Amino acid sequence: MDFELGEEQKMIVEAASDIAKDFGPEYWREKDRNHEFPEGFWKALVEAGFTGIVIPEEYGGGGMGMFEMVLAMETLASEGCGLAGEWFLCLTSVFGGLTIVKHGNEGQKQKYLPKIAKGSEFCLALTEADAGTNTLNTRTMAVKDGDGYVINGQKMFISGADRAKGMVLLARTTPLEKAEKRTLGLSLFVVDLPDPAVEVVPIEKHGIHYSETAEVFISDLRVSEESLLGERGKGWYLVLDTLNPERMSFSAAACGIGLLAIGKAVEYAKERRVFAAPIGSHQAVQFPLAEAKAKIEAARLLNYEAAWLYDKGKRCGAEANMAKVAAVEAGTEAVYHAMQTFGGYGYAVEYDVERWWREVNLIRLAPVTQQMALAFIGEHVLGLPKSY
Ligand SMILES: Cc1cc2nc3c(=O)[nH]c(=O)nc-3n(C[C@H](O)[C@H](O)[C@H](O)COP(=O)(O)OP(=O)(O)OC[C@H]3O[C@@H](n4cnc5c(N)ncnc54)[C@H](O)[C@@H]3O)c2cc1C
C-alpha cells in the first residue's frame, strides 16, 4: 500500500484545512452553546465539493472514494472543527450518498445523487428502542399496498432527521417470526422528507448540540415501489455495506479530535508554568500525550488501509472494526490527557477540551459500540466462537 498522497488528495487536505481555519473552536463553542445549526460551515463544505466526494462525476460529484473522505474528515477535525465535519458528511454523503451509489437503481441515482452533491441533507434510520444493537429485531414494518408500501414504526437516535430531505430507512417487509432467516425480510427504503406521516422529536443529549438527534415516529407513511433500495427482503446485506464506511468515518473523527486536543495541550504545556519549568517538561504531563499521539498515528494508518481496501472493492470489515477500536481508544485517551494537561481550565468551556471530550465519547457508543466491534474482531478475525 502506497501512502504517498496524490495531487487530488493533497488538495482535499488543503481545502479541508482552509475551511477548518474559517470555522475554528470559537465558532463551534458558540454553535454548541446556542444549539444552532452551523449554516455557514455546511455551506462552505458544499461549495468546496465535500458533500460530493464519494458521488461519481456523472452525477455531479468528485468521483473519489472513502480514502479521500477519511482524509477530509480527519483534517476538518484535527484543524479545529472537532466532530462536526465528519458528523455532517457522514449523515449526508455516506449514509445517503454512498448507500445510493452502491445500491440505488439508475432512477434513484439520478433523483438523489446530484442533490446530495449539492448539499441536500440526508439521515439514516436503523436504530429502534427495543432492538438496540440487535438490528435484526427491527419492528418497523413496510406492508405492500398496491404499487407501493405503507410503513409504520418508530426509530430512535436518528441524527439530522429534523432537517433531512431524505432518509435511508430500514424496515421489515416480512415479520421476523415469518422470515426464512433472521437476516432476511428486511428492506431498505429511501424516503423523501419532510412528510406529515413522519414525526421528528429531538432528544436532549450530552454533546453535539449544533445538530439534533431524534426519535422518529412513522405513521402510515406511503412510499412508492421506486423507494425500495436494492432487492426486497435483502436490506440487511445492503446495510452491512454502509456500516464499514460509517466506522471509517467515525475513526477518522476520533483520530482528528485526538490530534486537535493534543495540539492544544502541547501549546499550553509549553507556556504554563506553576513551578520552575513549563508543565510540559514533567514526564507525567508529557508522556501520556506522547503515548496518545503514537496510538493515534497507528490507528490512522489502519483506518487508511480500511478505506483503501473498501475503495478497491475488497473485504475491509476486519480493518474497519480494528481501526474503530484503536481510534476510539487513542482519541479518547488523547482528549482525556489534554484535559488533565489543562488542569482546572480543561473543565472550562472557554478552552474547548470539554466539548471535544463530549464529542469523542460518542464514538465509543455510536455508530457501533466498542463491545460490538470487539465481538466482530473476536469472531471474524480471531476465529473465536460468536460471543452473543
Ligand atoms: C448521539 C447519537 C447519534 C446516533 N445517530 C444514529 C443515527 O443517525 N442513526 C441510527 O440508526 N442510529 C443512531 N444512533 C444509535 C446508535 O447506533 C446506538 O445507540 C448504538 O448502536 C447502541 O445501541 P443502544 O443504544 O440501543 O445500546 P444497546 O444495544 O442497548 O447496548 C447497551 C450496551 O450493552 C452492550 N451490548 C449489547 N449487546 C451486547 C453483546 N452481545 N455483547 C457485548 N456487549 C453488548 C453494548 O455494547 C452497550 O454497551 C445514535 C446514537 C447516539 C447516542
Side-chain angles (χ1 to χ4, degrees), residues 117-178:
K118 288 196 188 116
S120 176
E121 291 168 55
F122 252 78
C123 64
L124 174 72
L126 298 184
T127 305
E128 294 187 4
D130 290 339
T133 298
N134 191 359
T135 314
L136 296 178
N137 274 349
T138 292
R139 292 285 165 183
T140 295
M141 274 302 298
V143 177
K144 192 85 182 97
D145 184 64
D147 58 357
Y149 292 85
V150 176
I151 306 179
N152 279 286
Q154 194 175 328
K155 294 284 174 179
M156 191 69 187
F157 290 127
I158 308 311
S159 302
D162 56 316
R163 297 174 46 97
K165 296 285 181 285
M167 172 166 69
V168 173
L169 170 73
L170 184 73
R172 281 220 160 260
T173 36
T174 306
L176 182 58
E177 299 71 27
K178 293 192 179 155

Side-chain angles (χ1 to χ4, degrees), residues 3-11:
F3 282 109
E4 197 182 332
L5 298 187
E7 280 315 305
E8 255 183 348
Q9 293 163 340
K10 283 184 194 157
M11 277 164 62

